[in-house]
Amino acid sequence: QGLTNSVGMALAEKLLASEFNREGHAIVDHHTYVFLGDGCLMEGISHEASALAGAWKLNKLIALYDDNGISIDGKVAPWFVDNTAQRFAAYGWNVIGPIDGHDVDAVDRAIADAKNSAGNGSAGPTLIICKTHIGKGSPNRQDTAKAHGEALGVDEIRLTREALGWPYKPFEIPREGYADWDAKAAGLALETAWDLKFAAYKAAHPELAAEFVRRMKGDLPKNFHQVAVDTVVAANVKAETVASRKASQIALEAFTAALPEMLGGSADLTGSNLTNTKSTPALRFDLAGDVVRTPDANGVMVGGRHINYGVREF
């Protein structure tokens, strides 16, 4: 589910950037990161979501695979023998590694390479395969199923901290050598820089800026209450006897027109479950991975909001 959520988040970034960014004003421009393990890759939903991520060319999605080969029942090799690198390459992902997942510099370089590949026109997401040892440093539990399924316990924690050269304070990480973990100042600098960027955007595009702020706050449009009331009244006046799926489409016609942030789709049954509306053209991407824009009912070029999930029921 976490891998799948990350695909949704990366799609949201791409759609928001396509809708709100303007020349010289990239207010939406971030990467999405996800950590996943062997169990995630064994779940069928990981195939459904990862294949879509490749089809959608979500090049700002970076996944770090914690490849330790251990699950609760033991070593996964007897029941999980997939060639993960080839699997993701087949989805259209960039694949980096295997690398040493305990080497901070190696991981840092891999993330930089993933960002560079996106910046150099690569349209696919990136999977970084990180070989790791579960329970690393634990004298008696490293690379065992017990490290996966059980807490180390007081005695093993003490031994592990001794092996790592850490003092025995179970809930503390030594400050020495870990100053880089404190990102408050760097974060504040980035936030301040973005605030200045957004102020310039607001001055150049006040209506877009106001709409962006509304959506980020989660506020409904000012006229939405009246839209909802009018929709209900109209349905009561007409008093049609229709199938529930058609009643759903009637409601969606009103609400998708009033809520430009509303999107959805169908798992290969659009004509049957009636999820399509006049306000939600099909979501499509060109060969470069950019959102394809088509004219809406008013002739305004808009990106698609109806997702074809294909036969991916989950």
Side-chain angles (χ1 to χ4, degrees):
Q1 289 283 13
L3 173 58
T4 307
N5 284 339
S6 76
V7 173
M9 291 177 179
L11 176 63
E13 188 277 338
K14 175 167 276 195
L15 296 182
L16 284 170
S18 173
E19 183 170 358
F20 286 99
N21 288 356
R22 293 295 182 269
E23 186 174 352
H25 298 280
I27 60 166
V28 180
D29 183 17
H30 59 267
H31 290 78
T32 300
Y33 300 91
V34 57
F35 291 90
L36 60 134
D38 298 301
C40 305
L41 294 179
M42 285 184 258
E43 293 276 7
I45 192 173
S46 75
H47 161 74
E48 299 184 17
S50 299
L52 271 176
W56 291 338
K57 301 176 175 62
L58 301 179
N59 63 347
K60 289 185 179 177
L61 173 60
I62 299 175
L64 294 105
Y65 168 29
D66 176 20
D67 183 9
N68 59 46
I70 296 291
S71 67
I72 294 174
D73 279 354
K75 292 184 181 298
V76 301
W79 57 82
F80 182 55
V81 295
D82 300 17
N83 188 320
T84 299
Q86 290 185 3
R87 171 185 164 188
F88 275 77
Y91 295 147
W93 287 53
N94 306 305
V95 179
I96 296 175
I99 64 170
D100 180 355
H102 300 292
D103 184 335
V104 176
D105 291 333
V107 174
D108 191 53
R109 285 194 300 272
I111 292 174
D113 289 344
K115 290 182 176 180
N116 287 337
S117 65
N120 290 331
S122 175
T126 297
L127 177 73
I128 302 172
I129 302 175
C130 306
K131 299 294 289 187
T132 61
H133 298 281
I134 193 167
K136 181 174 170 60
S138 170
N140 302 302
R141 298 286 183 86
Q142 179 175 310
D143 297 325
T144 69
K146 282 184 174 293
H148 190 301
E150 301 176 14
L152 291 182
V154 174
D155 292 338
E156 192 65 19
I157 287 175
R158 179 181 290 106
L159 292 173
T160 301
R161 294 184 73 91
E162 288 176 359
L164 294 172
W166 291 5
Y168 185 63
K169 295 180 180 179
F171 299 104
E172 292 185 18
I173 295 172
R175 298 292 297 176
E176 298 79 12
Y178 290 89
D180 290 342
W181 287 30
D182 185 349
K184 292 176 185 176
L188 179 60
L190 289 170
E191 184 177 358
T192 301
W194 188 88
D195 287 341
L196 291 171
K197 181 184 292 187
F198 188 75
Y201 176 78
K202 183 177 180 180
H205 305 282
E207 291 184 3
L208 280 173
E211 175 66 5
F212 184 82
V213 169
R214 178 187 73 78
R215 294 198 202 176
M216 294 303 105
K217 286 183 175 180
D219 292 340
L220 291 168
K222 290 181 179 179
N223 68 331
F224 185 78
H225 176 75
Q226 191 61 50
V227 169
V229 170
D230 292 346
T231 303
V232 172
V233 170
N236 281 323
V237 169
K238 200 167 187 180
E240 284 184 303
T241 299
V242 296
S244 57
R245 56 185 174 162
K246 182 59 180 178
S248 169
Q249 187 181 44
I250 292 170
L252 287 173
E253 283 288 2
F255 296 150
T256 54
L259 295 170
E261 65 267 39
M262 188 174 182
L263 66 157
S266 170
D268 204 46
L269 288 169
T270 302
S272 176
N273 58 31
L274 304 179
T275 52
N276 55 321
T277 72
K278 295 182 180 68
S279 301
T280 54
L283 178 66
R284 295 289 184 267
F285 300 93
D286 61 22
L287 293 177
D290 295 325
V291 177
V292 174
R293 309 181 77 80
T294 55
D296 66 6
N298 299 315
V300 178
M301 299 299 289
V302 296
R305 289 197 279 148
H306 184 271
I307 299 171
N308 296 103
Y309 290 103
V311 189
R312 297 182 179 95
E313 293 88 349
F314 202 93

